[in-house]
Amino acid sequence: MTETLDVIRRRYACRQYADRPLEAETLRTIAAAGLAAPSALNRQPWRIITVSDRDRLADLETVGLAVIKDQDPAFYERLQARDGRLLYGAPALVVIAQEQVESPWPAALDVGIVASHIALAATSLGVDNVIAALPSYAFNSAEGPRLKQRFGIPAGFEFAVSILLGYAAGEPRAPHQPDLAKLIEIG
């Protein structure tokens, strides 16, 4: 098995992080892996923003949880039962902002490839992670314009997805087992 396939097989969605900071150089290396992602016509309709400032992360979490509590109380209760945190205590976050452009090639597809590159690079460096859309609650709220400015999302771009990064609290979970019944092979 190649190293790449090994990384793919052992990656899992980490939802509980230790209170241990992520080294700046490691965060930079992981984010740079996203810059290596291909895109349709090499348009690269994204910006990759790294955040490890605890105050910004706490602000995002507070706003996001308040919005969820207001808009989806059942989901809020589910989050509270899990650990009550939107960002699971992750010490770092990568925000992928997507350019708002008219194109027959969906920028969301390109953003997904970037997110996958970042998640796999993190795993290969021993950094636990989860691809997370939950911050969209905060970025799409009334507080969104303030948060977009605070998180450096440029004009003409919107929050697309994030990757939470850090080191697992406790033992890492086992990755999910692929369901081979979902694989369709044609001749």
Side-chain angles (χ1 to χ4, degrees):
M1 176 182 338
T2 70
E3 181 181 343
T4 302
L5 290 175
D6 179 56
V7 168
I8 290 169
R9 286 191 174 116
R10 66 184 159 89
R11 190 198 163 272
Y12 73 102
C14 182
R15 291 190 177 89
Q16 189 174 20
Y17 294 90
D19 187 19
R20 175 180 164 200
L22 189 62
E23 300 78 14
E25 186 59 33
T26 302
L27 181 55
R28 190 174 301 109
T29 299
I30 291 167
L35 295 173
S39 66
L41 301 177
N42 199 29
R43 286 181 21 251
Q44 302 177 21
W46 60 70
R47 294 297 180 272
I48 298 171
I49 303 159
T50 63
V51 183
S52 55
D53 178 78
R54 289 181 186 254
D55 289 338
R56 282 182 173 82
L57 295 173
D59 187 15
L60 179 64
E61 185 160 71
T62 298
V63 171
L65 285 172
V67 171
I68 292 169
K69 184 176 183 178
D70 182 56
Q71 292 180 1
D72 192 345
F75 181 49
Y76 178 80
E77 290 306 319
R78 183 174 162 207
L79 284 174
Q80 293 305 304
R82 187 180 291 163
D83 78 351
R85 297 182 292 179
L86 187 74
L87 304 178
Y88 308 118
L93 169 77
V94 174
V95 170
I96 304 173
Q98 175 179 313
E99 189 174 14
Q100 301 302 294
V101 293
E102 293 291 325
S103 172
W105 297 280
L109 176 61
D110 292 334
V111 164
I113 296 167
V114 172
S116 184
H117 271 58
I118 290 170
L120 292 173
T123 300
S124 75
L125 295 173
V127 176
D128 300 296
N129 61 86
V130 63
I131 299 172
L134 288 176
S136 66
Y137 282 98
F139 284 110
N140 294 328
S141 74
E143 292 284 323
R146 178 185 68 77
L147 288 171
K148 287 191 326 191
Q149 183 176 10
R150 188 155 195 228
F151 279 76
I153 296 176
F157 287 77
E158 297 294 330
F159 171 84
V161 71
S162 64
I163 301 91
L164 307 178
L165 300 164
Y167 302 101
E171 288 298 312
R173 286 188 358 207
H176 79 276
Q177 291 300 311
D179 181 356
L180 295 179
K182 294 183 179 187
L183 174 64
I184 300 170
E185 297 176 303
I186 300 174

